[in-house]
Amino acid sequence: MNNMLAEAARLIHQGLSDDEVLRRCKAVGSFSGPMRKNLVELMDEAGIAEFLDIETTAQLFSDKQDLVNLTSCIRYPTFAVKTGKEANFNAEIKQGTKLFDFAAPLTLEELNKAPNAVLLPLGPKVQHYLEKAVKGTNFENRLLPELPHPSGANAERIAYFLGRKTKETLSSRTNPEKLDNSKKNIKKILRSLKTRGSK
C-alpha cells in the first residue's frame, strides 16, 4: 500500500489522468517486495509465461500488464471481530454465508469482463472459494489448481515447487504430492487450453 501511495503521489504530480494513475499504481503495488520475486518464479515454473508467449511473468508487472488482472477474492479490506476487537480476516469464505453472498457476485462481475481469463488461485482458501464461486459458469474449466502463496511464510513449499528442496528434506507441514499434482495439472490444463486456441 505504501508503495502504491508513493507512486500515486508521484504520478499525480506529473499530471497524469486518474485512470492512468490507477493502472500504473496497481502494477507497482501488487505483490511488491519479496513476494513478487517468489510469485514470478512460481508462475514461470508452472508454465504461465510459456502459455502467454512471453519470456517471463515478470513482464506482467511492466510491459505486459494488459495480460493480467491481479485481484482478491474480497475486493475490500475485511476484518473479523473477535471478543469485541477487529482481527485480520483469514478464514475460508464459506458458501451460504453473508460474506460469500457479498463477494461471489462481485467476483463474477469482474471475471465476466475477461471471458477468456484463466484463473490462478494462490493458496487453498482462494481455490476453494473460486471453485464454489464459478461453479456452473464458463470459468469452471478455466480454474487452475492452486499455486503456493508467494508469502515468505510459505518458504518451504515455494522451495520444493521450484525444485530447490528435495522431498526427503521437507518438514511434515509440507505435502509434496499435493504440490507435484498442482504443478502437473496446471501444465496439463494450460497445454489443453493452448491446443484449443483458448488463450
Side-chain angles (χ1 to χ4, degrees), residues 111-178:
L111 292 176
N112 285 326
K113 294 175 183 176
N116 292 322
V118 175
L119 314 182
L120 179 62
L122 302 179
K125 291 175 184 174
V126 178
Q127 184 178 31
H128 297 158
Y129 165 74
L130 285 174
E131 284 170 355
K132 292 173 278 195
V134 304
K135 191 172 178 67
T137 73
N138 293 336
F139 295 106
E140 196 169 3
N141 297 321
R142 305 180 73 83
L143 174 60
L144 299 175
E146 64 182 92
L147 274 185
H149 194 280
S151 161
N154 260 340
E156 186 175 73
R157 292 180 187 88
I158 292 167
Y160 181 75
F161 194 91
L162 297 175
R164 295 177 185 155
K165 201 169 176 71
T166 64
K167 193 177 291 190
E168 297 72 33
T169 61
L170 295 175
S171 71
S172 59
R173 296 189 311 270
T174 297
N175 182 338
E177 286 76 22
K178 183 178 179 184

Side-chain angles (χ1 to χ4, degrees), residues 56-185:
T56 170
T57 54
Q59 293 174 268
L60 298 176
F61 299 94
S62 57
D63 60 317
K64 296 294 182 182
Q65 289 177 44
D66 59 311
L67 296 178
V68 68
N69 178 32
L70 302 158
T71 189
S72 300
C73 295
I74 308 174
R75 198 180 296 176
Y76 309 103
T78 305
F79 298 89
V81 177
K82 295 179 180 178
T83 61
K85 295 182 180 179
E86 287 185 356
N88 286 333
F89 180 83
N90 61 2
E92 289 208 18
I93 308 169
K94 294 183 179 176
Q95 201 165 10
T97 63
K98 288 181 181 179
L99 187 57
F100 183 91
D101 292 344
F102 169 76
L106 293 174
T107 296
L108 291 173
E109 177 188 306
E110 194 166 0
L111 292 176
N112 285 326
K113 294 175 183 176
N116 292 322
V118 175
L119 314 182
L120 179 62
L122 302 179
K125 291 175 184 174
V126 178
Q127 184 178 31
H128 297 158
Y129 165 74
L130 285 174
E131 284 170 355
K132 292 173 278 195
V134 304
K135 191 172 178 67
T137 73
N138 293 336
F139 295 106
E140 196 169 3
N141 297 321
R142 305 180 73 83
L143 174 60
L144 299 175
E146 64 182 92
L147 274 185
H149 194 280
S151 161
N154 260 340
E156 186 175 73
R157 292 180 187 88
I158 292 167
Y160 181 75
F161 194 91
L162 297 175
R164 295 177 185 155
K165 201 169 176 71
T166 64
K167 193 177 291 190
E168 297 72 33
T169 61
L170 295 175
S171 71
S172 59
R173 296 189 311 270
T174 297
N175 182 338
E177 286 76 22
K178 183 178 179 184
L179 292 167
D180 290 340
N181 286 334
S182 282
K183 187 192 295 192
K184 181 179 75 176
N185 289 326

Side-chain angles (χ1 to χ4, degrees), residues 35-47:
M35 275 206 300
R36 182 176 295 183
K37 178 180 180 291
N38 289 341
L39 179 57
V40 164
E41 290 180 339
L42 288 165
M43 290 194 295
D44 284 352
E45 178 68 22

